Amino acid sequence: MPVVRFAPSPTGRIHIGNTRTALLNWCVAKRAGGRFILRFDDTDRERSRPEYAEAIAVDLAWLGVAPDLTVRQSDRIALYDAAVERLQDAGRLYACYETEEELERRRKRQMARGLPPVYDRAALKLTVAEKMAFEMAGRRPHWRFLLEHRIVAWEDGVRGPAHIDTASLSDPVLVRADGGYLYTLPSVVDDIDLAVDHVIRGEDHVTNTAVQIQIFQALGAAVPAFSHHNLLTTASGEGLSKRSGALSIGSLRDGGLEPMAVASLAMLTGTAEAVRPVATLAELAGLIDLSRISRAPARFDPADLETLNARLLHEMPHAAVAGRLAALGVGGGEAFWLAVRGNIVRLTDAASWWRVVTGPVAPVLEDRAFAQAAAALLPPEPWDEGTWAAWVEAVKAATGAKGRSLFMPLRLALTGLEHGPELKALLPLIGRDRALARLEGAA
Ligand code: GLU
């Protein structure tokens, strides 16, 4: 049974692109009865904020993702310290004293000579005396992981056979001069400690994977499976960032979208499946096959969210929305919902139709005599779905009006609008008193 994790850095709200990663992990776990861990990568003390972590948990809950376990890297520093010792003992971690400016100058020189800006491992050659001199001068070391220069290969769950030549990479800094951890090592230590056996993340992490595979091996641990999915981009090919505020899950939710509209778009874009509204995460989980995710960027149009949302609502059973309709002050039970669900884009639109039922509306009466004739023919209650047809037949017989000139004046009088849900469903909800008043021109 797979153990997976979603590992956001709580430095902002998650957006629809992060959601793709979270949901892919969730689906892989849940389809196979596995575990989903939410891990906050909050070792960056300056940029991480507890409020963001809380907001991310709320956003995931809204999407229907309930973690089996939530951990914070800031609570787990002792584990990383122990791993550092092991790597130091194994000769895989070495102290470096260069300042950022020195490194930058070196990179510029390399590039000027047409060389890749890869760290030259100068610190490996430092003598004990030189290191002492740095320490005496008040410099603290940062620590780099000594890569084995070789081809690192893995079978990627999305991309198939993958490999990276680590000779083309700089030895990564794992520990900063202030003792703080960068993301690379804690992630591996946690994956080992929490028995994560499948890492599913965006393809922006492919290079990290080569490095991290070597860290797993240096720590004597089994290497998990890796799958790197394509990233969501907007139609213009632009990537998403934490600054893509409008596409944050929080703003999509506040904008009245259904979680499954967001989840369907986030998951199905850029896969072999057609993008369509899927009613539940469980159903989505059944559709998703990592090996059928495209390698090309997953381009999406944010406007599709509205279309998907409308299509979801058009199929939604009353039981699924009853509580939320009540919270919006919408009555009318199942009959009202079935009458209006085909005419709404967002659930909140149901409230406007409810106002059309309960009033006040501004009836549009182009021909008062016609309206009065129709009013006089309103049958007594109780009304049902057959009332409209019977009444319209009677109005037709009495006035000779037919087609559009029969229906439209009635609709305009009853609702004040040219378009809307079928009147055979609305009329019984409007009821005789209100219908009569509207036909007589009262609001
Ligand atoms: N915190 C990393 C990120 O948000 C996690 C990457 C990973 O899944 O290992 O990109």
Side-chain angles (χ1 to χ4, degrees):
M1 277 181 278
V3 180
V4 301
R5 83 297 193 283
F6 173 55
S9 315
T11 56
R13 302 291 295 264
I14 50 170
H15 54 61
I16 188 163
N18 309 122
T19 302
R20 183 173 180 79
T21 313
L23 291 173
L24 284 171
N25 275 288
W26 169 260
C27 288
V28 164
K30 292 302 138 180
R31 194 173 46 197
R35 272 160 65 79
F36 174 96
I37 299 169
L38 172 58
R39 184 186 85 200
F40 288 114
D41 288 0
D42 60 351
T43 56
D44 181 340
R45 278 168 286 195
E46 265 154 43
R47 292 172 57 229
S48 300
R49 300 248 189 296
E51 315 74 279
Y52 286 134
E54 275 157 38
I56 290 170
V58 168
D59 290 345
L60 289 176
W62 177 72
L63 287 161
V65 171
D68 297 299
L69 174 71
T70 300
V71 297
R72 275 172 196 75
Q73 291 195 321
S74 53
D75 293 337
R76 302 166 59 81
I77 303 293
L79 283 172
Y80 314 143
D81 293 345
V84 160
E85 260 181 54
R86 283 192 64 177
L87 293 176
Q88 282 167 336
D89 292 349
R92 295 297 295 276
L93 212 52
Y94 62 99
C96 304
Y97 291 88
E98 294 93 343
T99 63
E100 212 21 76
E101 296 73 45
E102 285 165 358
L103 289 171
E104 188 52 36
R105 271 202 301 276
R106 216 177 280 178
R107 281 194 287 266
K108 283 206 177 118
R109 274 204 306 274
Q110 288 171 310
M111 293 198 329
R113 287 161 51 204
L115 299 171
V118 171
Y119 179 63
D120 60 7
R121 294 183 162 174
L124 273 182
K125 300 181 197 91
L126 292 175
T127 63
V128 174
E130 284 169 325
K131 288 188 196 175
M132 288 265 283
F134 278 130
E135 301 269 349
M136 300 289 279
R139 283 205 199 181
R140 303 249 64 83
H142 57 274
W143 295 82
R144 287 189 193 259
F145 178 66
L146 185 65
L147 287 169
E148 285 171 356
H149 284 170
R150 60 180 167 84
I151 307 281
V152 174
W154 70 94
E155 185 62 31
D156 196 289
V158 174
R159 300 158 67 89
H163 66 270
I164 291 211
D165 183 357
T166 51
S168 65
L169 306 178
S170 295
D171 288 337
V173 176
L174 298 190
V175 191
R176 294 194 311 219
D178 66 2
Y181 286 102
L182 287 140
Y183 143 83
T184 314
L185 176 67
S187 180
V188 172
V189 171
D190 287 334
D191 288 342
I192 297 170
D193 183 61
L194 301 169
V196 169
D197 56 13
H198 192 171
V199 173
I200 303 166
R201 56 189 178 185
E203 63 188 9
D204 49 334
H205 285 287
V206 165
T207 307
N208 283 338
T209 294
V211 169
Q212 290 180 325
I213 285 176
Q214 288 204 2
I215 300 177
F216 276 103
Q217 290 166 337
L219 290 171
V223 176
F226 284 94
S227 299
H228 297 88
H229 65 79
N230 53 1
L231 301 178
L232 282 188
T233 68
T234 61
S236 58
E238 224 175 295
L240 303 176
S241 73
K242 291 245 162 76
R243 281 160 291 283
S244 311
L247 292 168
S248 76
I249 298 305
S251 58
L252 296 175
R253 178 180 59 231
D254 294 347
L257 292 171
E258 298 297 306
M260 284 310 299
V262 176
S264 300
L265 190 72
M267 290 268 285
L268 296 177
T269 303
T271 72
E273 290 293 326
V275 177
R276 59 187 186 279
V278 176
T280 64
L281 279 188
E283 246 175 276
L284 260 186
L287 287 174
I288 285 303
D289 180 347
L290 291 176
S291 68
R292 296 181 74 212
I293 293 178
S294 157
R295 294 189 57 169
R299 281 174 198 253
F300 78 105
D301 181 353
D304 288 346
L305 281 170
E306 301 222 337
T307 318
L308 288 172
N309 207 67
R311 287 172 61 194
L312 265 178
L313 291 172
H314 298 175
E315 301 290 314
M316 201 162 290
H318 180 245
V321 289
R324 289 159 64 204
L325 288 175
L328 289 170
V330 170
E334 185 170 23
F336 171 75
W337 174 246
L338 295 180
V340 304
R341 67 179 183 179
N343 289 75
I344 61 178
V345 174
R346 292 178 165 73
L347 190 79
T348 47
D349 300 341
S352 331
W353 290 120
W354 184 238
R355 271 194 304 281
V356 168
V357 167
T358 57
V361 302
V364 177
L365 299 175
E366 279 160 359
D367 178 347
R368 286 196 169 254
F370 174 83
Q372 260 159 21
L377 291 164
L378 280 173
E381 287 183 314
W383 285 2
D384 58 26
E385 291 240 323
T387 304
W388 166 253
W391 178 50
V392 165
E393 254 333 289
V395 175
K396 182 177 172 183
T399 63
K402 34 179 204 277
R404 199 182 142 83
S405 46
L406 171 62
F407 297 112
M408 191 50 78
L410 297 178
R411 177 177 285 283
L412 285 170
L414 291 171
T415 67
L417 300 166
E418 273 187 36
H419 302 285
E422 280 192 302
L423 280 165
K424 72 170 186 181
L426 278 194
L427 189 63
L429 293 160
I430 292 171
R432 195 172 195 285
D433 289 347
R434 284 187 292 237
L436 191 60
R438 291 175 194 183
L439 288 160
E440 285 169 352

